Amino acid sequence: MRSNVPLPYWSFFWQLILCAFFVHPAMAVTIDTYSDPHDRLYLRIKAETGKRYLYQNTNSSIAQIANEPALEDLSSHWYIEASAEPDEYWIRNRVSNEALHIESLLGQVEIDTLLTTYTSHRWRFEEDNGAFRIRNAWQLDQYASADTSLLHEPFDSVDTNQRFILEPL
């Protein structure tokens, strides 16, 4: 039995099917999508579970997680700046320009003046099914985790609190 559908239709149809299943690596979203050496790209960092966002409380040296801070709340705006080390970045607050770090190893991610020579201030972003796991460059077994504050803890493959969505502004 012969189909009445023109051949160009089938060609286009199969192209759509193939595109749905195979994404070219050049089209994949990487951390470089959110870091521009020539311009600051502001974003919000959202925990994958719930509507919880990273923000800076100026009365605390501990990075905080808040339920749906207003989009206009600049303390929930961040930018990612490439360090001199390959694949390592500083995460800095828009208002204070301070950076996330784990220098004191308190179990909570701290925020303070950026110390560019300190590895504890640098982070690696590991892509994980459309989200990112944020791993410290100093203590390689420590990942950011969203609780009431931003924690750092060992990798857990099933812990969705360790997965973050970057939302450009």
Side-chain angles (χ1 to χ4, degrees):
M1 178 174 177
R2 185 164 182 170
S3 170
N4 291 332
V5 179
L7 185 59
Y9 171 81
W10 286 110
S11 176
F12 177 71
F13 172 76
W14 286 112
Q15 287 175 11
L16 286 176
I17 295 296
L18 290 174
C19 284
F21 289 104
F22 302 102
V23 177
H24 189 278
M27 297 173 64
V29 175
T30 67
I31 192 59
D32 292 331
T33 305
Y34 304 98
S35 176
D36 185 337
H38 306 294
D39 192 17
R40 283 193 184 154
L41 302 174
Y42 293 109
L43 51 90
R44 296 203 318 166
I45 301 173
K46 178 184 172 191
E48 184 180 56
T49 54
K51 295 181 179 178
R52 301 175 304 144
Y53 290 85
L54 177 61
Y55 81 101
Q56 181 181 12
N57 177 344
T58 55
N59 297 324
S60 175
S61 63
I62 304 299
Q64 303 294 314
I65 298 291
N67 288 320
E68 295 190 82
L71 186 59
E72 301 80 27
D73 181 355
L74 299 181
S75 68
S76 69
H77 295 191
W78 302 86
Y79 63 98
I80 297 169
E81 184 178 351
S83 75
E85 297 299 318
D87 302 321
E88 294 181 3
Y89 300 85
W90 295 299
I91 304 171
R92 301 182 69 180
N93 186 266
R94 182 178 189 164
V95 174
S96 69
N97 287 322
E98 293 179 329
L100 299 181
H101 69 88
I102 64 167
E103 182 63 29
S104 301
L105 294 176
L106 299 172
Q108 295 175 307
V109 176
E110 300 166 81
I111 184 163
D112 206 343
T113 303
L114 173 64
L115 300 173
T116 59
T117 59
Y118 283 42
T119 312
S120 61
H121 286 238
R122 295 194 305 257
W123 300 87
R124 297 176 178 187
F125 288 79
E126 300 174 354
E127 198 279 325
D128 186 2
N129 291 326
F132 288 96
R133 291 185 185 269
I134 304 173
R135 179 185 202 179
N136 189 262
W138 177 45
Q139 300 291 320
L140 294 174
D141 65 334
Q142 295 296 299
Y143 287 77
S145 180
D147 197 16
T148 53
S149 62
L150 189 64
L151 305 177
H152 62 88
E153 56 191 25
F155 176 76
D156 182 342
S157 64
V158 296
D159 187 355
T160 56
N161 284 334
Q162 291 184 351
R163 293 170 42 96
F164 296 88
I165 308 294
L166 305 180
E167 296 181 348
L169 297 170

